[in-house]
Amino acid sequence: MKATTELPDDPALPGLAAIRAVGVAGALPALELDERPVDVALRGYTPGSRATLEVRAGRRRFAVKAYAEDPAPEAELYEALAAVGLVGKGPVRMPPLLTQDRRLHVLVIGWLDGPTAHELIKSRRGERAGELAARWLRCAASLPIKLGPPLGAADMVYNAGKEVVQLDAADRGLGAVARQLARMLTRTLPKNGPRRLLHGTFYARHVLDQGDGVSVIDWQRFGQGPLELDAGMFLATIWRYGLDHQPLAGEVARAEEALLAGTADLLDERVLAWHRAAALLRLASKVYVVERRKENWLGRADALLAEATRLAEFAVRRDAVARVEAPALRLNGAALELILGALSTRPATPEELEQIRKLLSEGHDRAP
């Protein structure tokens, strides 16, 4: 979103409400801003969930992140990243945690500037964008941090149920294609691999070029799981960018090539294809938000689903994936029947989606 100085009135975000009432200095006295002029700009906002503010006070610049829920787990992650040397100078760096207010559900972190991977592609530096994403993935593979909930194929399949419902509501034709794709993903869950620190929403806009290094921002949905999940989301977001900006398709291809070259010994290509397909399904489902639809939203969503289907068909080769009847996630017959039934001829009900989530979670917990 474009930055604005207008702060929304959102009672679900106590920190934002406090800043609207008494300003940043009054709401967060630990920052010791004293009487210095403070400039505040809204940089990101999800109603009822979270908001990100850019704050300038004299020569200081930082981000205030206000949440509906307690962000203590994210604060713990920032502290863990600092403990392993990823705050400050270095080839990989994360924003420092400056302070937190658990009562207000607020985190304050240092501001890291620099072009995003999307902006690098736009400036025809696609190879650099892919290299930076690969650098982070290689770093994540070596980190000893074990914080965060498990993430993986089970979560993506659960999300697929919701995404089918959203696409079906937007257009019945899209819903039919999405349902077929989701069934394919459900029947061909990837093999379990080592759990690594995952960003969870590793979009190209979250990867920053620091000149002599890379930074990754917005860690709200972090967890533990296969690196292919993050890599698949990054590749899905740049593919969508190339779809929207056809003259830059070559730069997108160079970014993909650089990421794959930099992670050749880390990623299983067909497991990666599965996660790319699941990520593209998620991106396609965004058309359910009517006010955010682009003019060509129907054709765009159809193209995303077509690419996802192509990748899913590549991923189903037997030497790279395990059928759910084999011990990939050890889902029992009832779980598989419920999931496929909910994705067959009608949208899943909220109750079915919740039951699917529980069954997938149980299967994940039993997996080796």
Side-chain angles (χ1 to χ4, degrees):
M1 64 176 292
K2 293 182 178 180
T4 176
T5 57
E6 295 293 326
L7 300 185
D9 182 5
D10 192 335
L13 307 181
L16 191 62
I19 290 170
R20 281 173 52 90
V22 297
V24 174
L28 301 169
L31 292 172
E32 298 181 343
L33 296 180
D34 303 322
E35 301 299 322
R36 279 174 284 189
V38 177
D39 296 322
V40 179
L42 182 68
R43 286 289 186 175
Y45 176 53
T46 301
S49 177
R50 61 190 180 274
T52 300
L53 310 179
E54 177 188 359
V55 180
R56 294 175 182 262
R59 302 180 67 177
R60 299 173 66 183
R61 187 183 185 191
F62 49 86
V64 174
K65 305 185 73 175
Y67 296 94
E69 299 180 355
D70 184 2
E74 186 177 345
E76 185 181 5
L77 175 66
Y78 286 127
E79 291 171 345
L81 291 168
V84 296
L86 295 187
V87 170
K89 296 294 183 180
V92 178
R93 64 193 70 156
M94 299 297 150
L97 177 66
L98 303 181
T99 190
Q100 64 175 312
D101 189 315
R102 298 192 65 175
R103 180 179 61 87
L104 293 178
H105 296 177
V106 163
L107 297 181
V108 182
I109 60 175
W111 188 271
L112 293 178
D113 215 352
T116 67
H118 269 159
E119 290 168 338
L120 289 172
I121 291 171
K122 184 178 180 180
S123 62
R124 301 194 178 276
R125 300 180 64 201
E127 184 176 3
R128 174 68 173 171
E131 289 173 349
L132 292 175
R135 184 181 298 184
W136 162 250
L137 292 170
R138 297 200 69 85
C139 177
S142 65
L143 290 177
I145 297 173
K146 302 301 181 184
L147 300 174
L151 299 175
D155 304 273
M156 300 299 279
V157 167
Y158 167 64
N159 287 330
K162 296 186 292 183
E163 290 148 8
V164 169
V165 172
Q166 292 165 346
L167 282 161
D168 195 69
D171 179 83
R172 298 302 295 272
L174 291 178
V177 175
R179 188 171 294 109
Q180 183 177 1
L181 171 61
R183 288 172 61 85
M184 187 185 307
L185 293 172
T186 300
R187 289 188 178 276
T188 56
L189 296 172
K191 294 177 180 177
N192 295 307
R195 289 184 180 178
R196 312 294 191 192
L197 177 65
L198 294 183
H199 184 274
T201 54
F202 194 54
Y203 305 153
R205 70 172 183 266
H206 293 153
V207 178
L208 303 184
D209 187 353
Q210 298 289 286
D212 58 348
V214 61
S215 180
V216 183
I217 59 173
D218 288 351
W219 282 90
Q220 184 185 9
R221 302 191 186 280
F222 74 96
Q224 298 286 323
L227 289 175
E228 287 87 355
L229 189 152
D230 269 358
M233 181 57 72
F234 180 88
L235 292 173
T237 59
I238 65 172
W239 192 91
R240 180 180 63 176
Y241 189 75
L243 176 68
D244 293 339
H245 304 85
Q246 286 295 324
L248 296 173
E251 293 301 321
V252 169
R254 280 184 274 278
E256 177 180 336
E257 291 169 3
L259 183 148
L260 295 177
T263 57
D265 58 336
L266 292 179
L267 305 177
D268 181 305
E269 64 175 343
R270 294 188 182 90
V271 176
L272 175 59
W274 189 98
H275 280 286
R276 289 177 70 177
L280 286 165
L281 173 57
R282 176 180 293 186
L283 297 179
S285 74
K286 301 299 183 182
V287 298
Y288 85 94
V289 184
V290 176
E291 60 270 21
R292 294 184 184 177
R293 287 177 180 171
K294 295 181 180 290
E295 184 176 350
N296 61 336
W297 66 271
L298 187 59
R300 186 171 178 264
D302 188 62
L304 289 165
L305 292 175
E307 175 66 4
T309 300
R310 182 189 71 80
L311 289 163
E313 289 171 347
F314 175 78
V316 299
R317 296 185 184 180
R318 290 180 179 272
D319 58 342
V321 294
R323 298 279 178 183
V324 290
E325 292 83 0
L329 292 179
R330 294 185 181 176
L331 297 182
N332 60 35
L336 180 60
E337 182 179 353
L338 174 63
I339 294 168
L340 295 181
L343 296 172
S344 57
T345 59
R346 57 176 174 76
T349 66
E351 292 77 15
E352 285 175 330
L353 287 174
E354 180 61 17
Q355 190 175 357
I356 289 169
R357 183 194 65 77
K358 291 179 179 178
L359 288 166
L360 289 170
S361 178
E362 292 169 2
H364 195 292
D365 291 341
R366 292 194 300 269

